[in-house]
Every structure is written in C-alpha cells, then in structure tokens.
Amino acid sequence: MSDESIDDRFRITVTVTDEETILDLVDRVDDVVDARVVPDGGADDLVPPQNRPSSVRVDLRDLTPKQWEALELAFKRGYYDQPRSVDLQALSEELDISKSAVSQRLRSAEATVVESVLEGAMSASNG
C-alpha cells in the first residue's frame, strides 16, 4: 500500500487480487470518503490462473555464488518458514557479513528468481 499527496487530497493505493474484495473495500471506504476503483493499467499483462503453466524453467546461473549461498542458507535455516525459524541477524552471523548485506543478497536473489519464474510463465502462456 502506498500513499501520495495530491493537492489537498490524499490518494491511497491498495492492491487487491479478487473483484469481490475490491468492491467490498470500496463500498466500506466510500461510506466515509469519496472512493473509486482506478485500474492500474497492468491487469491486462497478468496471466490468468487457468493459463499458468504447471512448471517453468529457471536458470539458477543468473544468481551470483554469494546470492545462492545466502538463499540456500536462508531456506535451510527456516527463514522462509511461517513463522520464521531464523532472522537476518542469525544468517548474517553464520555468513560472517552484515545484516544489511544478507538482506541485499536475499532481495537480489529473490528478485532474480521471481523475474525468471514470471517471465517463464508469461512466455509459456503466450506461446
């Protein structure tokens, strides 16, 4: 969610994935202030669930060795569990780097993997 001031108004941006929830949210907010749904312009690019491939190829060579090391350790130690079994501080101590460096490596690795998965899904559904 983000907000930005526009003149004397406030714009609040909320991303919701299903139409029923969107309409319910707008109805509730509209009871208090003037609310409306504004398309984000990106919905046309989304792959509908029924068109998503069951698998995609991800080239892990796009990850640096340091990104892979951080990602693999985070996974093995439970960083991606709900709730997390380990935090960035513990990972940073094990990798012997700063907490911000671990965070940066993980975010870069995650972005690379997600980009690869989504590009693979979009190209598979288009071709």
Side-chain angles (χ1 to χ4, degrees), residues 66-67 69-70 73 88-106:
K66 289 180 180 182
Q67 289 171 347
E69 177 187 36
L73 181 66
L88 287 174
Q89 183 63 43
L91 293 172
S92 73
E93 290 169 5
E94 194 163 344
L95 290 168
D96 198 28
I97 58 175
S98 71
K99 191 166 106 172
S100 64
V102 173
S103 177
Q104 191 277 328
R105 286 182 191 178
L106 289 176

Side-chain angles (χ1 to χ4, degrees), residues 18-126:
D18 68 279
E19 188 173 354
E20 184 178 329
T21 302
I22 293 168
L23 296 175
D24 185 46
L25 177 63
V26 170
D27 282 344
R28 290 171 191 260
V29 173
D30 200 40
D31 289 342
V32 180
V33 295
D34 182 33
R36 61 192 170 103
V37 175
V38 179
D40 67 3
D44 294 339
D45 295 338
L46 297 178
V47 177
Q50 67 274 16
N51 293 349
R52 291 181 196 148
S54 60
S55 63
V56 294
R57 184 173 297 243
V58 176
D59 190 349
L60 297 176
R61 294 174 293 186
D62 291 340
L63 297 173
T64 69
K66 289 180 180 182
Q67 289 171 347
W68 177 257
E69 177 187 36
L71 192 62
E72 185 177 32
L73 181 66
F75 178 76
K76 286 180 178 178
R77 298 294 183 267
Y79 181 77
Y80 294 105
D81 293 350
Q82 291 292 333
R84 288 190 168 138
S85 302
V86 68
D87 60 12
L88 287 174
Q89 183 63 43
L91 293 172
S92 73
E93 290 169 5
E94 194 163 344
L95 290 168
D96 198 28
I97 58 175
S98 71
K99 191 166 106 172
S100 64
V102 173
S103 177
Q104 191 277 328
R105 286 182 191 178
L106 289 176
R107 288 175 60 87
S108 294
E110 292 160 0
T112 299
V113 170
V114 168
E115 180 181 359
S116 183
V117 167
L118 292 177
E119 284 179 353
M122 287 186 279
S123 67
S125 69
N126 291 332

